[in-house]
Amino acid sequence: MNDNEPYTTADGRKIGGVLMEMKNITLRFGGVKAITDISFNIREGEIRAIIGPNGAGKSSMLNVISGFYIPQEGEVWYKGAPRPQMKPYEVAQQGIARTFQNIALFEGMSVLDNVMTGRLNHMKTGIFAQALWKGKAEKEEEANREQVEKVIDFLEIQHIRKTPVSRLPYGLKKRVELARALAAEPSLLLLDEPMAGMNVEEKEDMSRFILDVNDEFGTTIALIEHDMGVVMDLSDRVVVMDYGKKIGDGTPDEVRSNQDVIDAYLGVAHD
Ligand SMILES: Nc1ncnc2c1ncn2[C@@H]1O[C@H](COP(=O)(O)OP(=O)(O)O)[C@@H](O)[C@H]1O
Ligand SMILES: [Mg+2]
C-alpha cells in the first residue's frame, strides 16, 4: 500500500497521507540505548499501535513525539516538514496531546477543572489583555467552555463533573485523562497504556471511546497497549519494538504472523 494514497478501511473510516514520520530515531540515556535507529510513520486518521515487552522503549518513543525527550539522532517530521527542536508546550500547540502511563491529573481538583486545564493551549488572551479587551476574553472563555462540555458529554462523565478526581475509581480517572487530552482538540492523540490496570468492562468502554473519538472527530491516534486482543481490534497498523529496536511493522494480521514478533513477544505471557 502506497503511504500517501488515501484509502477507506473495512469499517468505513478514511485514512489519509502521512501525518507524522519518525526518521532513524536513536535515543540514549547515558549508556542505555532506549531507542535504536527506528523509523515509522503515522497516517492521518489512523489508529496506530506501538507494542512490545516492558522496557522496549515504547514510552520513550511517545516522549520523543511529544517533545519530552530529544533524540540524539534522527528527525521528526510533522505535517510534511522536519520539526525543529521544540519544548513540550510548543509541540502541544501544534496539536499533539497525550495521556500518561501513570495518571497525571490534579487529584484535589474537580473533573471539570481538570478537563479545563486541557484548554490552556487555547487561552491566547493573557490577564492583561483580558483587562483591556474584555469582550474578546469572554468569547474565548465561552469557546473553551463549549469544547469542554462537548468532551464531557462525549465521554459520558457528566455525572462526575463536580467530583474531585481523588475520589474516582481508576477506570474513570483514565477516562478523565482522556477527556483532558481531547479538550485540547488535538490532531494527534498519544495514549500511553490507556487500558492498563482496567477490568474487562472498563477496557471495553475505553476501546469504544477510542474508536468513537477517531470516528467522530477524525483524530489520529497513536497508542501503546499490552492487551493483544485490544490491539488487534482497534488498530489499523502496529509497530513492534523490542530492546529499543523495531522488529515489526504492519497490519495486525501481518505482525501476528511475523516470526520475529512471535519469538520476542507474542509467544510469552504478559501482564
Ligand atoms: N528518563 C530516563 N532516564 C533513564 N533511562 C530511561 C528513562 N526513560 C526510559 N529509560 C530507559 O529506557 C528503556 C526504555 O524504557 P521505556 O521507554 O519506559 O520502555 P517501555 O515503555 O517500552 O516499557 C528502559 O531501559 C528504561 O529504563
Ligand atoms: Mg512504558
Side-chain angles (χ1 to χ4, degrees):
M1 197 178 302
N2 183 322
D3 269 354
N4 271 309
E5 198 74 40
Y7 73 101
T8 305
T9 63
D11 55 350
R13 294 174 307 112
K14 296 210 167 6
I15 308 294
V18 172
L19 176 67
M20 169 151 267
E21 183 148 21
M22 314 302 285
K23 295 189 181 185
N24 305 100
I25 301 291
T26 293
L27 176 73
R28 280 183 289 267
F29 297 104
V32 178
K33 252 189 183 178
I35 300 173
T36 305
D37 194 25
I38 289 194
S39 302
F40 68 94
N41 64 38
I42 303 170
R43 298 181 57 157
E44 223 163 303
E46 187 172 51
I47 301 182
R48 187 73 148 122
I50 303 175
I51 68 170
N54 282 329
K58 305 179 299 296
S59 292
S60 297
M61 185 56 86
L62 281 203
N63 282 326
V64 169
I65 297 176
S66 60
F68 278 73
Y69 292 162
I70 310 291
Q72 280 80 13
E73 286 163 48
E75 284 183 336
V76 177
W77 284 56
Y78 184 57
K79 296 187 174 168
R83 189 173 78 183
Q85 205 166 312
M86 275 185 184
K87 299 258 160 52
Y89 80 89
E90 293 170 315
V91 172
Q93 281 170 347
Q94 286 205 328
I96 299 179
R98 66 174 298 182
T99 65
F100 293 83
Q101 184 166 358
N102 302 305
I103 294 169
L105 291 166
F106 300 102
E107 292 273 328
M109 281 165 46
S110 70
V111 166
L112 179 63
D113 288 342
N114 267 282
V115 179
M116 274 304 275
T117 65
R119 294 299 295 174
L120 284 172
N121 286 320
H122 292 263
M123 294 183 188
K124 292 185 192 72
T125 21
I127 188 153
F128 295 109
Q130 276 179 32
L132 288 171
W133 305 103
K134 196 155 171 294
K136 191 170 172 231
E138 274 169 7
K139 269 203 203 97
E140 193 181 284
E141 169 84 15
E142 201 178 293
N144 286 332
R145 294 227 166 257
E146 252 171 44
Q147 175 63 15
V148 165
E149 293 307 330
K150 188 165 122 191
V151 168
I152 285 177
D153 270 1
F154 191 79
L155 294 182
E156 298 167 15
I157 48 176
Q158 305 93 330
H159 60 296
I160 51 160
R161 51 190 290 131
K162 297 270 167 62
T163 310
V165 162
S166 58
R167 292 217 211 116
L168 298 177
Y170 183 78
L172 274 179
K173 284 187 187 178
K174 287 287 227 190
R175 207 189 299 175
V176 173
E177 230 200 349
L178 175 61
R180 180 179 57 185
L182 278 183
E185 295 179 83
S187 336
L188 174 61
L189 176 62
L190 310 172
L191 306 173
D192 195 343
E193 303 201 19
M195 282 162 256
M198 287 187 169
N199 63 38
V200 173
E201 197 184 326
E202 288 169 333
K203 276 188 190 182
E204 280 171 2
D205 283 347
M206 185 53 96
S207 295
R208 178 170 60 88
F209 285 124
I210 290 171
L211 280 174
D212 284 353
V213 165
N214 173 260
D215 198 26
E216 177 87 10
F217 305 124
T219 313
T220 306
I221 296 173
L223 83 153
I224 297 172
E225 182 49 47
H226 274 296
D227 186 319
M228 286 312 295
V230 169
V231 169
M232 297 297 161
D233 278 353
L234 279 188
S235 55
D236 298 303
R237 286 189 302 161
V238 187
V239 175
V240 191
M241 292 178 70
D242 190 30
Y243 292 110
K245 298 207 170 88
K246 184 170 101 168
I247 59 167
D249 189 351
T251 63
D253 282 337
E254 281 164 2
V255 300
R256 193 162 36 187
S257 54
N258 175 331
Q259 194 57 45
D260 290 340
V261 176
I262 294 167
D263 291 346
Y265 189 59
L266 297 177
V268 293
H270 291 277
D271 52 63

